[in-house]
């Protein structure tokens, strides 16, 4: 039996400050926020609550008040599953892995309809606590963590190396931030929508040289839910859907940054995963109409766009500066506004990327709609793209 998976519904809260501090008298409870998101996604899909047979959650941040969140929310929503209820964790690619596992429930025949969902709360958590947690999660406890090495440090080194090897300029990297803000302006759930000029990007203080304030992602909260179904169910609903055509995954066998000399900005994991995804989909990179990338910083978007074949090696920054990655350009990238403007609610960021793909391929993205969008790709990462997951989708209308 051959089964295929489709995204038939999606919903997400606007990215922003949702978490309340421990001192506030009135607390925002995560499950109360999730109720609206799940309800709206299921309504968008056109299915009933009793149709849902599996649910795969992203692991909540440690700051989330309710422990064992997935079973608590299941109880709160009065859902019952015959497939599975579970949480998954994979740092930056947590949302993408949750989607992967929800899709597997359908591919294996354990469910005809499944949810992929999660919430990320961190904005009211003190910066020192958040940074310490980030370093412990992402760094080598014997090397990175004692030295205070942060994820932005990896990306700053990538940027310096890229500028050295290919002659890219600070302004060309900044063009990615300007482009993403222009896209975010059109996205009602984006965290930052005020127009941004290149001069404003270049004038900001450095966070880690050469990356400035607008080159790096903001902290934010968010919640998202996707409804997945077998293609037979999707067809029966008589509405557009985003069909999963293929996926690829590759882990280089290193933790964040390889200690073996090599090409640190080739992003080999992304390249290998993308090739596997294209092969299983029967397409080439040039067939894609747009891509929604997991790119925490401007330099990461540049490097991933090159690694997965959207632009030639060494031309990613120039492509952004020339407007080729904007809406209306050769290959629109991060039409949601990307992590730098749409927002980066960490463990659910990949879910937001998937929500964007679902809207684009169903033709409901409004003013940011990619004309005649049919094929799209999403990426997710671990660390400095030491591992990558790529999904390819086709719009069916």
């Amino acid at each position: 039996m051959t089964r295929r998976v489709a995204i038939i519904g999606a919903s997400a809260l606007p990215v922003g400050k949702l978490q309340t501090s421990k001192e506030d008298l009135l607390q925002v409870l995560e499950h109360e926020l999730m109720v609206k998101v799940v309800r709206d996604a299921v309504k968008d899909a056109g299915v009933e609550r009793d149709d849902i047979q599996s649910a795969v959650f992203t692991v909540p941040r440690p700051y989330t008040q309710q422990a064992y969140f997935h079973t608590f929310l299941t109880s709160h929503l009065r859902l019952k599953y015959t497939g599975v209820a579970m949480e998954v964790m994979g740092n930056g690619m947590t949302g993408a892995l949750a989607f992967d596992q929800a899709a597997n429930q359908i591919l294996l025949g354990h469910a005809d309809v499944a949810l992929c969902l999660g919430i990320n709360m961190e904005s009211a958590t003190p910066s020192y606590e958040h940074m310490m947690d980030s370093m412990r999660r992402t760094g080598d406890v014997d090397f990175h963590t004692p030295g205070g090495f942060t994820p932005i440090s990896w990306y700053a080194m990538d940027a310096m190396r890229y500028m050295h090897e290919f002659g890219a300029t600070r302004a060309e990297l900044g063009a990615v931030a300007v482009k993403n803000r222009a896209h975010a302006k059109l996205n009602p759930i984006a965290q930052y929508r005020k127009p941004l000029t290149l001069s404003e990007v270049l004038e900001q203080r450095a966070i880690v040289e050469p990356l400035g304030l607008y080159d790096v992602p903001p902290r934010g909260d968010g919640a998202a839910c996707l409804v997945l179904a077998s293609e037979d169910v999707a067809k029966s609903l008589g509405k557009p859907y985003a069909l999963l055509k293929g996926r690829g995954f590759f882990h280089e066998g290193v933790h964040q940054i390889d200690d073996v000399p090599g090409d640190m900005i080739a992003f080999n994991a992304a390249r290998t995963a993308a090739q596997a995804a294209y092969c299983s989909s029967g397409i080439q990179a040039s067939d894609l109409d747009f891509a929604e990338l997991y790119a925490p910083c401007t330099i990461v978007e540049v490097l991933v766009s090159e690694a997965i074949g959207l632009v030639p090696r060494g031309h990613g920054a120039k492509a952004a500066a020339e407007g080729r990655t904007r809406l209306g350009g050769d290959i629109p990238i991060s039409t949601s506004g990307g992590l730098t403007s749409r927002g980066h609610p960490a463990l659910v960021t990949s879910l937001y990327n998937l929500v964007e793909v679902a809207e684009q391929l169903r033709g409901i993205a409004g003013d940011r709609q990619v004309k005649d969008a049919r094929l799209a790709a999403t990426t997710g990462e671990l660390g400095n793209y030491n591992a990558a997951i790529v999904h390819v989708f086709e719009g069916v209308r």
Side-chain angles (χ1 to χ4, degrees), residues 51 89 92 108 134 162 185 197 326 346 390 394:
D51 295 327
M89 171 60 179
L108 293 169
S134 295
Y162 186 81
K185 180 183 176 182
T197 67
R326 277 180 175 253
V390 177
E394 179 179 12

Side-chain angles (χ1 to χ4, degrees), residues 13-18 120 122-124 180-181 183-194 216-222 336-346 349 352:
L13 294 179
V15 181
K17 297 183 182 298
L18 304 174
N120 185 91
E122 63 176 63
S123 65
N180 282 346
R181 184 61 64 88
H183 291 173
K185 180 183 176 182
L186 307 174
N187 187 355
I189 64 171
Q191 186 170 6
Y192 293 105
R193 301 177 64 194
K194 181 181 177 181
V216 304
R219 288 176 61 188
D221 309 319
S336 67
L339 279 61
T340 56
S341 283
R342 192 258 345 266
H344 181 29
T349 290
Y352 275 82

Side-chain angles (χ1 to χ4, degrees), residues 8 32 116 136 140 186 194 206 210 256 287 297 318 384:
I8 60 173
E32 294 178 346
C116 170
R136 288 301 303 272
D140 180 333
L186 307 174
K194 181 181 177 181
Q256 318 303 359
D287 295 322
C297 300
K318 289 182 175 62
N384 191 33

Side-chain angles (χ1 to χ4, degrees), residues 11 59 68 119 151 153 169 188 194 207 210 212 238 276 282 284 370:
S11 178
V59 167
Y68 210 17
I119 188 165
S153 302
T169 66
K194 181 181 177 181
I207 301 301
Q284 300 177 13
V370 176

